[in-house]
Amino acid sequence: MKNFMVCPNKEKLRTKDHKCKLIFTQKTIVEEIQDLYFNMCIFKFRPYEQLSNPQDFDDTELFDVIGQIVSYGDVQSVNQDGNVRMFMNVELQDYKSNNISATFWGDFVEQIKPHLIESNDKPVVVVMQLVRAHRFREQYSVRNTWHVSKLWINSDLPQILDFSSRIVSVCGESSQIITQISSQKTHSIEDELASGSVGFKTIEALIDSKHPGNFWIVATIVYIDLEHGWSYLACKMCAKKVEPEGNKFYCKKCGQVPSASHRFKLKLGVIDDTGTIILMMWDRDATKMIGKSANDLKNVVSETSGAADDSSIPIEIENFIEKRYMFKVDVQNSNCENQDEVFKVLTFTDDEDIIEK
Ligand SMILES: [Zn+2]
């Protein structure tokens, strides 16, 4: 390599721990040479034990891992900053039968899929090159970065051949079959946090979002906006709002329907240390939070007050004022473009263990 620049290695993510790095300019010339004595080991493998050692944990340094895929989950997707990102959780095993979890993102998912489908019980050995460590609640895993990482699958590089022959010598030819673990459609909030696929934001940062996406916030409910009530009369078939029409109801989608039910539509004013917004919580989450259906509450209200007056607030809902929750919110285009400060709730938790984290 000729005509290059040398400068300090101060990237946020370091591909090497050397204090300097070489920079290409337009005048740099690179020529390939053949030298049998040159050390061609391009990997810096990190042992699995070291990855799960809290003292060694460093998520700013990139490193390499080698392993055999022993199980993998469904391809999942998540909306990050307005981009739909694909990911897949994979379990890697070394030849000493230690395991480490890995999250494959984007290109890695595309590259590994055909190998998993056509593995025919042959081991799939991969090198994840220039990847990052990730920690969530004492659980350690590795993940690729967006632009730097590279995936080598069953390659004939000497290190991979060496690893494969060690598996055979330890486990025999009949090595482990790859199992597919089907993640449930509603995977738990804890799993999602562990994968790091949805980020946290303060309310201030949420209001300033320039791109749509999903984020977690931790916020306290301070008031319930009752300007449009706390429920609506919904079509039983499609859950859209209906209008009474004689002794029946009219739904814009389904036409005339014989009956309708009440569904929650709660507007919650919430705050954290940085600001305040309104969250729109629909029937499923509101029912989960309150522990009663809107129909049940409506019946109680009409029995006690004689009328189903939506501007008064049932004690069951009022009880949630001053309580703190972790909400997953959907930042939509309208939030970014029109400074609309009503955000839709996708899910929530009141699990203090998770919130404190
Ligand atoms: Zn309908």
Side-chain angles (χ1 to χ4, degrees), residues 310-355:
D310 234 18
S311 61
S312 70
I313 181 171
I315 187 74
E316 286 88 342
I317 300 179
E318 204 179 348
N319 279 342
F320 292 98
I321 290 176
E322 291 185 8
K323 287 210 173 133
R324 193 168 70 133
Y325 294 92
M326 196 169 92
F327 299 98
K328 182 158 88 175
V329 297
D330 189 24
V331 177
Q332 298 175 335
N333 272 321
S334 58
N335 298 122
C336 306
E337 285 158 14
N338 314 332
Q339 251 76 70
D340 178 4
E341 287 175 13
V342 180
F343 294 84
K344 187 180 158 197
V345 174
L346 295 171
T347 187
F348 75 97
T349 179
D350 58 357
D351 183 335
E352 279 297 323
D353 285 348
I354 295 179
I355 295 174

Side-chain angles (χ1 to χ4, degrees), residues 235 237-238 251 253-254:
C235 170
M237 301 208 282
C238 70
C251 166
K253 195 176 165 202
C254 311

Side-chain angles (χ1 to χ4, degrees), residues 46-267:
R46 191 153 295 188
Y48 292 8
E49 302 94 277
Q50 195 186 338
L51 285 169
S52 47
N53 182 353
Q55 273 89 51
D56 291 332
F57 185 81
D58 176 2
D59 62 356
T60 65
E61 198 190 338
L62 303 178
F63 53 86
D64 312 324
V65 288
I66 185 165
Q68 179 188 3
I69 295 184
V70 288
S71 69
Y72 63 100
D74 293 335
V75 177
Q76 299 176 57
S77 62
V78 66
N79 190 335
Q80 284 182 332
D81 297 335
N83 298 307
V84 176
R85 313 269 209 201
M86 308 245 278
F87 70 96
M88 178 196 268
N89 290 319
V90 169
E91 197 74 15
L92 297 179
Q93 192 170 80
D94 66 12
Y95 55 81
K96 290 179 273 179
S97 294
N98 296 313
N99 282 32
I100 185 99
S101 301
T103 308
F104 280 21
W105 287 93
D107 290 347
F108 273 35
V109 177
E110 293 301 326
Q111 288 171 47
I112 198 69
K113 265 197 312 196
H115 291 267
L116 295 173
I117 294 161
E118 291 156 22
S119 79
N120 294 323
D121 297 344
K122 281 208 307 275
V124 175
V125 175
V126 295
V127 171
M128 294 176 75
Q129 189 182 10
L130 298 173
V131 293
R132 289 177 82 170
H134 179 69
R135 174 169 57 188
F136 173 74
R137 293 187 164 197
E138 313 313 313
Q139 301 263 18
Y140 296 85
S141 63
V142 292
R143 54 182 45 216
N144 55 310
T145 61
W146 284 110
H147 303 294
V148 189
S149 307
K150 188 167 174 176
L151 184 65
W152 305 77
I153 307 162
N154 289 345
S155 136
D156 53 7
L157 285 166
Q159 294 88 351
I160 298 187
L161 294 176
D162 177 57
F163 180 90
S164 303
S165 70
R166 279 169 193 257
I167 310 177
V168 172
S169 70
V170 175
C171 314
E173 286 290 350
S174 59
S175 61
Q176 197 160 354
I177 296 165
I178 307 174
T179 50
Q180 184 179 8
I181 300 162
S182 196
S183 47
Q184 289 161 344
K185 282 280 169 270
T186 52
H187 54 111
S188 75
I189 289 171
E190 208 158 323
D191 286 351
E192 188 183 281
L193 289 169
S195 79
S197 53
V198 175
F200 271 94
K201 270 195 194 299
T202 61
I203 285 179
E204 185 182 27
L206 207 64
I207 294 169
D208 291 341
S209 285
K210 297 284 180 288
H211 304 284
N214 300 343
F215 300 99
W216 287 104
I217 61 167
V218 174
T220 304
I221 299 174
V222 284
Y223 67 94
I224 318 274
D225 181 345
L226 291 173
E227 199 187 327
H228 302 287
W230 49 269
S231 70
Y232 68 103
L233 209 48
C235 170
K236 281 190 174 174
M237 301 208 282
C238 70
K240 287 203 185 324
K241 191 174 183 232
V242 293
E243 300 295 341
E245 204 179 65
N247 57 355
K248 294 203 169 73
F249 300 92
Y250 181 76
C251 166
K252 270 184 189 158
K253 195 176 165 202
C254 311
Q256 205 180 56
V257 288
S259 63
S261 61
H262 295 285
R263 291 173 75 90
F264 286 114
K265 183 190 176 186
L266 288 182
K267 283 171 103 176

